[in-house]
Amino acid sequence: MFKSLHKFDAFPKIERNIQHATRTGGLLTLLVACALLFLVMSEFSQYATIHQNYEFLVDQSLGSHVQISVDLTIAMKCGDLRSDVLDVSGTSLALQHEFTATPVKFHTRGVRQLSSSNSKKDDNFNIHRLVAGAGWESGGERVEVGDDACRIRGNVNVNKVSGMLHFTALGHGHMDAAHVAHEAMNFSHRIDRLSFGIFYPGLVNPLDHSLEMASAPLEIFQYFVSVVPTIYVDQNRAFGSKFILTNQYAVTDYYRVIDVDKGGVGVPGIFLKYDIEPIAVRVTEARSSFLHFLTRLCGIVGGVFVSVGLLNNLLQFAQGLISKKQ
């Protein structure tokens, strides 16, 4: 039975004693070897590379709250400041208990003017590392103890609607028992971190490590923030959650001095107005399957051999015509 299998051989062999080697064939063989080595290495490099796929979809998350994380230092005493959040649903919340206020010495090391440079995000981030490290946050850098500034840190859950987080002086904009004098106000500030959603490794926000210096006691700093819900999906994660729900944002800043002598009105302070966008971004890691890699590899090798074989036949045919004419 097995002896008759040679009838079905689709790859007939040519006896070596009737094979004819040529210089042209040897040159083409060397070129084929170099081309195949380059193409195979390129294909393997593409197979090993992880790509990120971005999808835009309507935000369908069921959560009714979003977490705001703040690490802000204002060049005023902690006892002269108050922080509040107000949203379009009418909810107003004083944040004295949610945030921790620590007297510190105000300095500008390690920060940048917001208008002078922009934060850049690394596009080659690893989603597997992001998902695995989501929620784990370092304690932050040590600061110098003092009393000329106030470092406000903490997290607060707010309604998932448009709202405004603001920091003002006592007696300005709210009915307080105390009233801070205009000469004591200085809303120069540095933002070490402002984020919406849970922390993850590699998180970069436009306002992180930014600095704004006040030019007058009565000055308003406004930030208009557009928050985009973001989903990072790690399809290759074996244990634990395969995705994290967080947010990215874009920001536009504006500031002005309240000139009372010219009839200027307003409440001096720092105001962060945020809007939650209805469109979400889903980022997923993608890598070609091993079967797809083998299919492409076989196609490349086979295609090169067939193409070069055809070229070799054409060259031999041309050489035969030239030799006949001579």
Side-chain angles (χ1 to χ4, degrees):
M1 176 180 176
F2 292 99
K3 294 181 179 179
S4 60
L5 289 178
H6 68 278
K7 299 179 180 179
F8 303 99
D9 188 4
F11 308 96
K13 311 301 184 293
I14 301 176
E15 296 294 337
R16 181 169 294 274
N17 58 358
I18 63 173
Q19 293 180 358
H20 179 61
T22 63
R23 294 179 182 177
T24 304
L27 178 61
L28 289 177
T29 302
L30 292 177
L31 294 177
V32 167
C34 294
L36 283 179
L37 180 62
F38 173 76
L39 292 174
V40 169
M41 294 300 295
S42 300
E43 191 65 25
F44 181 79
S45 176
Q46 184 177 359
Y47 166 71
T49 302
I50 298 176
H51 305 277
Q52 280 80 39
N53 291 333
Y54 291 82
E55 301 175 83
F56 298 91
L57 61 158
V58 176
D59 183 21
Q60 298 179 348
S61 58
L62 301 178
S64 59
H65 293 83
V66 61
Q67 175 182 288
I68 302 179
S69 300
V70 175
D71 187 352
L72 169 74
T73 302
I74 304 175
M76 290 178 60
K77 294 183 178 181
C78 293
D80 294 341
L81 293 168
R82 66 170 294 160
S83 53
D84 303 85
V85 64
L86 175 67
D87 60 41
V88 295
S89 67
T91 302
S92 179
L93 180 64
L95 304 177
Q96 277 69 23
H97 300 292
E98 283 74 9
F99 291 156
T100 301
T102 306
V104 296
K105 183 178 180 179
F106 189 80
H107 64 85
T108 59
R109 295 189 303 271
V111 293
R112 57 182 171 79
Q113 286 285 343
L114 184 63
S115 58
S116 62
S117 61
N118 296 319
S119 296
K120 293 184 179 181
K121 187 171 183 179
D122 184 9
D123 293 329
N124 297 320
F125 57 87
N126 188 299
I127 292 182
H128 181 76
R129 182 173 60 88
L130 299 187
V131 177
W136 293 93
E137 185 175 0
S138 61
E141 62 176 7
R142 299 179 62 181
V143 297
E144 300 179 20
V145 178
D147 60 355
D148 65 336
C150 183
R151 186 180 187 183
I152 302 173
R153 302 178 65 191
N155 306 316
V156 59
N157 290 322
V158 299
N159 295 328
K160 197 175 179 180
V161 295
S162 299
M164 181 169 60
L165 172 65
H166 53 274
F167 303 88
T168 55
L170 292 177
H172 296 266
H174 296 274
M175 298 296 293
D176 297 307
H179 186 276
V180 179
H182 292 175
E183 296 77 12
M185 287 191 290
N186 180 7
F187 282 100
S188 299
H189 60 279
R190 55 178 291 163
I191 302 176
D192 288 292
R193 184 163 66 90
L194 176 69
S195 63
F196 294 79
I198 66 173
F199 174 84
Y200 62 87
L203 177 64
V204 176
N205 295 303
L207 289 177
D208 287 356
H209 308 295
S210 63
L211 171 71
E212 289 290 353
M213 301 297 295
S215 58
L218 302 181
E219 190 161 359
I220 301 175
F221 293 92
Q222 293 177 299
Y223 298 94
F224 301 93
V225 180
S226 297
V227 182
V228 180
T230 305
I231 308 169
Y232 292 102
V233 182
D234 179 14
Q235 296 179 338
N236 299 321
R237 186 171 173 80
F239 302 99
S241 176
K242 292 189 175 183
F243 63 91
I244 55 174
L245 303 176
T246 185
N247 301 276
Q248 302 179 84
Y249 66 85
V251 62
T252 302
D253 66 316
Y254 171 77
Y255 60 91
R256 67 181 178 91
V257 176
I258 303 173
D259 193 343
V260 180
D261 297 334
K262 296 183 179 180
V265 295
V267 178
I270 302 169
F271 300 85
L272 298 112
K273 185 180 183 303
Y274 56 89
D275 293 308
I276 311 296
E277 300 295 333
I279 301 298
V281 179
R282 181 165 59 195
V283 187
T284 308
E285 280 188 346
R287 172 187 281 177
S288 302
S289 65
F290 184 70
L291 182 59
H292 181 71
F293 167 69
L294 285 181
T295 303
R296 287 180 57 89
L297 200 60
C298 293
I300 290 173
V301 174
V304 169
F305 270 107
V306 171
S307 300
V308 175
L310 179 60
L311 178 61
N312 184 39
N313 292 335
L314 291 175
L315 291 176
Q316 290 183 358
F317 178 73
Q319 287 179 351
L321 291 178
I322 295 172
S323 61
K324 286 182 181 180
K325 291 182 179 180
Q326 292 177 350

